[in-house]
Amino acid sequence: VGIRAPPKLLELAVQSLLRDEALAIAALEELPAELFPPLFSSALAGMHSQAVKAMVQAWPFPCLPLGALMKEHKPHLEIFQAAIDGLDVLLAQEVRPRRWKLQVLDLRRNAQQDFCTVWSGTRAGVCSPLEPEVVGPVRKRCRVEGARAWLKQTSAPMEVLIDLCLKEGTPDASLSYLLKKVKQRRGSLRLCCQKLRVFSMPMQKIRKILKLVQLDSVQDLEVNCTWKLATLGRFAPHLGQMVNLRRLLLSHIHMTPHAAPGMEERCVSQLTSRFPSLQHLQELYLDSISFLEGRLDQVLRCLKNPLETLSITNCLISEADLMHLSQCPSVSQLKDLSLSGVNLTSISSKPLWVLIEKASATLQDLDLDECGIMDSQFSALLPALSHCSQLTTFSFCGNPISMAVLESLLRHTVGLSKLSHVLYPAPLESYEDVHGTVHLGRLAHLHARLKQVLQELGLPSMVWFSGNPCPHFIKKRSEINGTSVSFTWCSL
């Protein structure tokens, strides 16, 4: 204990080579490919900027996961610029090194990459498979084909992978430097972004940056701004170019006060007219969107393919909207459905029943928190819920539901073998007054009754608890047939 293991022979060799940076750079041409990853890691950690620059030019693998390494070693701006400069020098060469294989510079900090074993072939990387140079005899035909492939590779543009977060203070020094190089090498250097987050930033800056991004590479887009609808309309042309988008989140979009007649309709049309291009869209999240009421059909009918996730939260919608939603072809294969924060008190339960029934064969997670659903509405939904054979999680916190309806829910869901978590509000009978004060005696009685129903139905593995973020709650634990079941009751 306390004795540090001696460094491995490979570590000693790398350290020795980097003591003379000029010698290390000169040796790259003859250096075995399997030594590049540990040597590059050590060069980053030791702030050997010239070695980093030279190694990028001589990199013998298709992908260099620079972002993951930067996260690990936290290098200075100088090191990042050295890596980008190495790429720039490589692209400027008319005749690139015969050994060169680099095609993708991955700057994503959260990319999963076991960099220390990339050459061993034991784990697939986040980019192309990282294979060292082929050694040994090669047939003439293979040499010819390899030469053709090499010529094609040298003419192909280089790709830089990055996750972008556009907010106040963006771009920082590193991103500014990268954008400058992309602009200078337009055509030979492609900036690809799989995850794009847009927060608070002037539209002029956003458009300037997105002009340099290959928008067809974006797969995950979040627009989480307090934008006016007209601003979203100006952003819409960029959205239409994201033809491989799989996940879209729009949040806090507000209508312009005192807008000219027809202005809102034009802005909504600017947005929805881009949706037919999103043929790979699987997840749609609409949160705090003020223009949805009376227009949900206009938004959804432009979607051409089935969604896996639909989340409409904290929005105002009408009964006609909900009816259109239930009839939309895109919701027939939903796995996740959330209407949290959508007031359904004055809306008929039939459209929601139709919607749940339509997705019953695939629905796994259902969230109806804070919808103002009453006993009669909830009871009407129970037959549809009982058909959701794949349902694993059901949440309906913040709704005024009685104990009788809770018991009815238990009995209707007894056949749902995959249902494991139910998040529910404290029943109405547990409250002492209209201010939401819980009567402890009533609560204990209702708790015992629910425990008895669970025992009668043989549901020891189903966990029922409340997920309301309430300041006052009582939590009790009980054991049913040796299995722990959690009951958490809180005020509405």
Side-chain angles (χ1 to χ4, degrees):
V1 178
I3 300 177
R4 183 178 180 181
K8 297 179 180 179
L9 183 60
L10 178 61
E11 295 174 357
L12 292 173
V14 167
Q15 293 170 8
S16 176
L17 190 58
L18 283 175
R19 288 194 187 101
D20 188 335
E21 194 168 1
L23 179 62
I25 293 172
L28 292 179
E29 186 65 28
E30 305 299 329
L31 193 70
E34 58 266 25
L35 289 182
F36 268 75
L39 183 63
F40 192 84
S41 292
S42 295
L44 281 179
M47 298 291 294
H48 298 286
S49 58
Q50 292 305 312
V52 168
K53 180 178 178 180
M55 290 189 72
V56 169
Q57 299 172 56
W59 194 250
F61 304 103
C63 178
L64 173 55
L66 181 62
L69 289 168
M70 290 172 57
K71 181 180 179 181
E72 179 181 350
H73 295 293
K74 296 181 175 62
H76 293 170
L77 175 63
E78 178 186 355
I79 291 293
F80 176 79
Q81 292 179 340
I84 301 301
D85 287 343
L87 197 63
D88 188 52
V89 171
L90 185 64
L91 293 172
Q93 297 177 9
E94 293 185 5
V95 180
R96 296 177 184 174
R98 295 287 300 181
R99 195 179 188 187
W100 166 79
K101 285 190 176 182
L102 185 61
Q103 301 171 31
V104 177
L105 180 65
D106 193 344
L107 299 180
R108 297 172 300 174
R109 298 176 69 85
N110 294 324
Q112 296 179 358
Q113 176 71 49
D114 189 351
F115 189 67
C116 296
T117 59
V118 309
W119 67 88
S120 67
T122 57
R123 182 177 299 184
V126 294
C127 308
S128 304
L130 306 187
E131 299 175 355
E133 296 175 290
V134 177
V135 295
V138 182
R139 294 181 179 180
K140 182 177 180 180
R141 181 172 59 83
C142 293
R143 288 201 301 269
V144 172
E145 292 177 354
R148 290 174 180 170
W150 182 82
L151 289 173
K152 182 178 180 181
Q153 175 181 324
T154 57
S155 61
M158 189 83 68
E159 290 190 357
V160 177
L161 300 184
I162 190 171
D163 290 336
L164 280 175
C165 181
L166 305 183
K167 58 184 179 180
E168 288 295 339
T170 304
D172 58 14
S174 296
L175 181 57
S176 295
Y177 195 79
L178 173 62
L179 293 174
K180 177 183 176 182
K181 294 297 182 182
V182 171
K183 188 175 182 178
Q184 291 173 350
R185 296 291 176 188
R186 185 173 301 205
S188 59
L189 188 60
R190 291 166 46 93
L191 184 59
C192 299
C193 172
Q194 291 188 350
K195 294 183 180 181
L196 174 61
R197 304 287 183 268
V198 182
F199 293 96
S200 178
M201 175 183 269
M203 179 56 66
Q204 184 178 1
K205 281 190 175 182
I206 293 174
R207 298 172 74 171
K208 185 177 180 181
I209 292 174
L210 293 187
K211 283 183 179 180
L212 299 174
V213 177
Q214 302 295 316
L215 294 180
D216 60 351
S217 67
V218 179
Q219 299 181 17
D220 188 339
L221 171 65
E222 287 189 10
V223 179
N224 197 342
C225 309
T226 52
W227 276 359
K228 295 178 181 178
L229 181 56
T231 306
L232 182 62
R234 293 198 298 272
F235 181 81
H238 298 293
L239 175 64
Q241 298 178 55
M242 301 177 189
V243 294
N244 291 304
L245 195 67
R246 285 170 168 76
R247 180 179 181 271
L248 172 61
L249 182 148
L250 299 177
S251 181
H252 292 90
I253 308 298
H254 303 287
M255 290 186 291
T256 305
H258 313 296
M263 178 66 176
E264 289 179 7
E265 291 302 326
R266 287 195 296 272
C267 292
V268 173
S269 295
Q270 284 179 323
L271 172 66
T272 57
S273 65
R274 310 293 173 172
F275 281 6
S277 302
L278 310 181
Q279 297 188 15
H280 300 282
L281 189 66
Q282 297 176 345
E283 302 178 34
L284 178 60
Y285 300 83
L286 303 173
D287 176 64
S288 302
I289 306 295
S290 63
F291 63 83
L292 274 190
E293 188 175 15
R295 297 189 179 97
L296 189 57
D297 176 48
Q298 182 181 353
V299 172
L300 295 177
R301 69 171 177 245
C302 295
L303 299 176
K304 300 302 181 183
N305 296 314
L307 295 171
E308 290 187 0
T309 297
L310 177 61
S311 176
I312 302 174
T313 56
N314 304 307
C315 298
L316 288 176
I317 65 173
S318 65
E319 185 166 336
D321 288 324
L322 194 57
M323 182 61 73
H324 288 308
L325 175 60
S326 67
Q327 297 171 352
C328 178
S330 297
V331 303
S332 60
Q333 299 177 29
L334 284 178
K335 293 182 179 179
D336 302 307
L337 173 63
S338 175
L339 297 176
S340 177
V342 176
N343 192 335
L344 302 176
T345 303
S346 59
I347 293 179
S348 168
S349 58
K350 184 177 179 179
L352 184 55
W353 179 91
V354 173
L355 176 60
I356 295 173
E357 185 70 38
K358 190 170 188 176
S360 60
T362 56
L363 195 61
Q364 297 177 5
D365 294 284
L366 177 60
D367 184 350
L368 299 177
D369 287 350
E370 305 289 343
C371 290
I373 298 176
M374 313 295 286
D375 271 0
S376 59
Q377 295 170 300
F378 198 85
S379 297
L381 299 178
L382 294 182
L385 284 171
S386 68
H387 297 156
C388 296
S389 57
Q390 304 302 311
L391 195 65
T392 60
T393 303
F394 176 38
S395 180
F396 58 105
C397 298
N399 296 291
I401 304 299
S402 68
M403 184 63 179
V405 172
L406 281 180
E407 291 186 28
S408 183
L409 172 63
L410 272 173
R411 300 185 190 282
H412 273 82
T413 56
V414 67
L416 303 183
S417 59
K418 295 186 178 181
L419 183 60
S420 57
H421 290 81
V422 179
L423 291 82
Y424 66 101
L428 293 174
E429 293 86 346
S430 62
Y431 294 103
E432 195 168 6
D433 51 42
V434 295
H435 301 294
T437 305
V438 175
H439 188 287
L440 298 184
R442 297 175 191 170
L443 182 60
H445 173 73
L446 295 171
H447 170 75
R449 174 57 188 159
L450 186 58
K451 174 181 175 181
Q452 180 183 351
V453 174
L454 285 170
Q455 287 177 321
E456 292 173 355
L457 297 175
L459 299 173
S461 61
M462 185 182 294
V463 181
W464 281 56
F465 58 97
S466 174
N468 283 25
C470 302
H472 307 291
F473 64 91
I474 297 174
K475 185 173 183 179
K476 301 195 72 171
R477 303 279 307 179
S478 69
E479 296 293 327
I480 302 178
N481 296 337
T483 303
S484 176
V485 179
S486 174
F487 298 90
T488 305
W489 304 79
C490 68
S491 57
L492 289 171

